[in-house]
Amino acid sequence: MQTITGKTGLFGVIGDPISHSLSPLIHNAALEALGLDLVYVAFAITPKNLAMAIAGLEVIGVQGFNVTIPHKQAIIPLLTEITAIAKEVGAVNTVYRTEQGWQGTNTDVAGFISPLQRMAQNWSSITPLVIGNGGAARAVVVGLRELGCQKIQVVGRNFDKLRQLQSSWSDSSLAHRLQIHSWDDLAALIPNAQLLINTTPLGMAPRINESPVADNIMQTLPSTAIVYDLIYTPSPTRFLSQAKQQGAQIIDGSDMLVNQGAASLQRWLNQEIPVEAMAQALQRHLFSN
Ligand code: NAP
């Protein structure tokens, strides 16, 4: 643990609840590895106190902060400006200072695509299949467009919500790429899936024996598929275990978690971030729990 001095600079994360957040763990691992006199802490902020908290963070000299549930959308009108990527996702997870005031962006997109960018693939020829249509799915779809995917399939259990997702992007370059499908279509889509992504909480503790895809359907997955679960604990999830049995290449959510944090730090510090120190701190924590 670093020594806190009178000059120690402050970063943080706001959410409600927040005590479970792993962001302080991974961010402080990076700040320590960099030897900077900076510290990152979690602030429990209820929705009714959000505006007051943001003003307070500014006056006490906080240099930047992350935003998590339930404030990722609610914070937008309280900021001076948000980046184009945050507008497209419709959510802010990173706030930084400018001369004009607080500016928001979204680093979940960069975090999500990070492990995929390290693979030698021609993403423009791959049609990903995204399961779920909530907040994380929005960052995933924007990320897949950033990777170069021309068509993106999204499967959800509520067709009205799928239509809302589609219409929210009617003016964006996502409009002609997005194909929405009902849950029943999974059986027909999985045999052709090249990149399959779970964005639902199915498989996360305490529902660790659940998967969004039934065993008999997963058995039709091509062995060449890449299968990505946004959940990072347990690892592997049941979904990833099913895919591995088919011979697929699997990715859990820990890379996304670490890399969205690294992208936030990069935005605040404008220097190279020790991503490996962050990943090791996360793995040490997950294995000891
Ligand atoms: P969310 O906004 O609540 O969305 C969850 C989605 O899952 C919704 O589309 C929901 O469907 C669907 N869903 C929930 N239960 C379902 C079920 N029983 N059957 C079928 N669909 C179901 O949550 P989120 O913020 O997107 O987060 C989703 C997951 O991603 C969580 O496990 C979270 O931990 C993970 N995540 C990981 C990272 C990372 O850095 N690794 C980052 C963000 C999120 P409806 O719309 O019909 O309700």
Side-chain angles (χ1 to χ4, degrees):
M1 180 78 189
Q2 71 175 96
T3 307
I4 306 289
T5 70
K7 293 188 210 131
T8 303
L10 187 58
F11 289 98
V13 54
I14 61 168
D16 180 30
I18 198 65
S19 59
H20 66 286
S21 173
L22 297 178
S23 292
L25 181 96
I26 59 174
H27 282 86
N28 284 312
L31 295 173
E32 208 171 316
L34 287 168
L36 297 172
D37 190 10
L38 298 169
V39 70
Y40 181 107
V41 295
F43 300 107
I45 306 294
T46 59
K48 78 172 172 40
N49 286 330
L50 182 61
M52 194 162 57
I54 295 168
L57 292 171
E58 183 165 2
V59 295
I60 63 170
V62 165
Q63 300 179 18
F65 60 95
N66 286 125
V67 183
T68 189
I69 292 167
H71 305 312
K72 283 182 165 192
Q73 288 89 27
I75 198 167
I76 293 174
L78 303 171
L79 302 172
T80 307
E81 213 181 330
I82 67 170
T83 58
I85 209 105
K87 265 185 208 140
E88 227 172 0
V89 177
V92 160
N93 80 329
T94 302
V95 177
Y96 54 99
R97 273 176 189 274
T98 65
E99 278 180 14
Q100 290 70 41
W102 290 124
Q103 176 141 357
T105 190
N106 189 302
T107 65
D108 285 330
V109 175
F112 165 70
I113 59 178
S114 178
L116 299 173
Q117 281 172 320
R118 292 197 291 270
M119 294 177 164
Q121 285 282 346
N122 175 12
W123 296 109
S124 66
S125 67
I126 283 183
T127 300
L129 174 55
V130 180
I131 307 177
N133 50 263
R138 294 187 66 90
V140 165
V141 171
V142 173
L144 293 167
R145 194 271 322 276
E146 297 289 293
L147 268 186
C149 298
Q150 300 300 311
K151 292 252 175 300
I152 302 163
Q153 298 167 326
V154 179
V155 174
R157 62 177 173 177
N158 180 328
F159 213 78
D160 287 340
K161 287 191 184 174
L162 282 166
R163 280 206 201 91
Q164 281 167 23
L165 181 81
Q166 192 168 42
S167 65
S168 74
W169 284 322
S170 57
D171 293 336
S172 111
S173 66
L174 284 164
H176 68 277
R177 294 175 204 240
L178 198 67
Q179 298 176 342
I180 53 174
H181 293 274
S182 65
W183 202 262
D184 294 340
D185 292 347
L186 267 178
L189 295 168
I190 296 270
N192 298 312
Q194 299 156 296
L195 172 60
L196 177 65
I197 303 146
N198 176 35
T199 73
T200 78
L202 291 171
M204 198 166 72
R207 300 167 74 177
I208 58 168
N209 293 320
E210 295 182 26
S211 164
V213 182
D215 284 342
N216 64 326
I217 297 177
M218 199 60 124
Q219 279 157 9
T220 66
L221 180 80
S223 62
T224 49
I226 299 165
V227 179
Y228 194 150
D229 199 334
L230 265 51
I231 296 170
Y232 50 84
T233 184
S235 180
T237 53
R238 182 165 161 70
F239 174 72
L240 290 185
S241 297
Q242 290 170 313
K244 203 171 177 189
Q245 270 181 11
Q246 294 307 117
Q249 193 172 345
I250 60 170
I251 306 171
D252 71 16
S254 57
D255 246 329
M256 175 173 176
L257 180 69
V258 166
N259 282 289
Q260 60 79 28
S264 297
L265 280 171
Q266 172 74 43
R267 174 65 85 158
W268 297 324
L269 304 176
N270 201 19
Q271 67 180 98
E272 199 172 321
I273 304 303
V275 181
E276 197 45 41
M278 300 171 81
Q280 282 172 9
L282 177 64
Q283 291 311 323
R284 269 197 305 275
H285 173 82
L286 294 178
F287 278 115
S288 65
N289 282 282

